[in-house]
Amino acid sequence: MLSRLSLIAAATLFMAGAAAADPIEGNWRTQSGATAAISNCGGSFCITLKSSKHKGKQIGKMSAQGESEYAGSITDPETDKTYSGKGSISGSTLKMKGCVLGGLICKSQTWTKL
């Protein structure tokens, strides 16, 4: 009986650790001044604008690629063009990078955690 309780307690602690928020989750101020919310969406992280004329629009989806590194796609809300995207977190900043032509042409932005 005691070993069963120990097993249940260990499983509960493991699940609590797994449920901890990822550093990318939360609200971010984009370079243009809009607020973007990044939240878990089925094993990936969805990026949705919370302010600006594009409020409510999902502009990206990324997956963790290691500690503080992410990769996926990012959409320019002005043009509706989607690019291969990467993100990396350092402290309270998120450097977002979108590329086309296999990384030949890229643009970057730095976002700040709110």
Side-chain angles (χ1 to χ4, degrees), residues 102-114:
L104 191 59
I105 300 171
C106 300
K107 287 189 177 181
S108 297
Q109 285 191 5
T110 301
W111 297 3
T112 306
K113 186 99 179 211
L114 296 176

Side-chain angles (χ1 to χ4, degrees), residues 4-88:
R4 178 179 267 169
L5 288 175
S6 296
L7 184 59
I8 291 170
T12 302
L13 286 174
F14 175 77
M15 294 303 285
D22 191 278
I24 200 169
E25 290 183 273
N27 293 321
W28 296 84
R29 174 84 54 217
T30 69
Q31 197 163 302
S32 67
T35 300
I38 302 179
S39 59
N40 189 310
C41 59
S44 296
F45 299 97
C46 291
I47 307 167
T48 305
L49 290 174
K50 290 181 71 174
S51 68
S52 83
K53 67 181 180 181
H54 301 289
K55 181 179 179 178
K57 185 172 191 170
Q58 184 175 320
I59 61 164
K61 192 170 189 178
M62 300 212 161
S63 298
Q65 301 296 302
E67 190 172 328
S68 301
E69 299 290 326
Y70 304 86
S73 62
I74 190 87
T75 300
D76 180 342
E78 293 292 328
T79 64
D80 270 335
K81 291 184 180 178
T82 301
Y83 303 94
S84 171
K86 290 188 178 193
S88 68

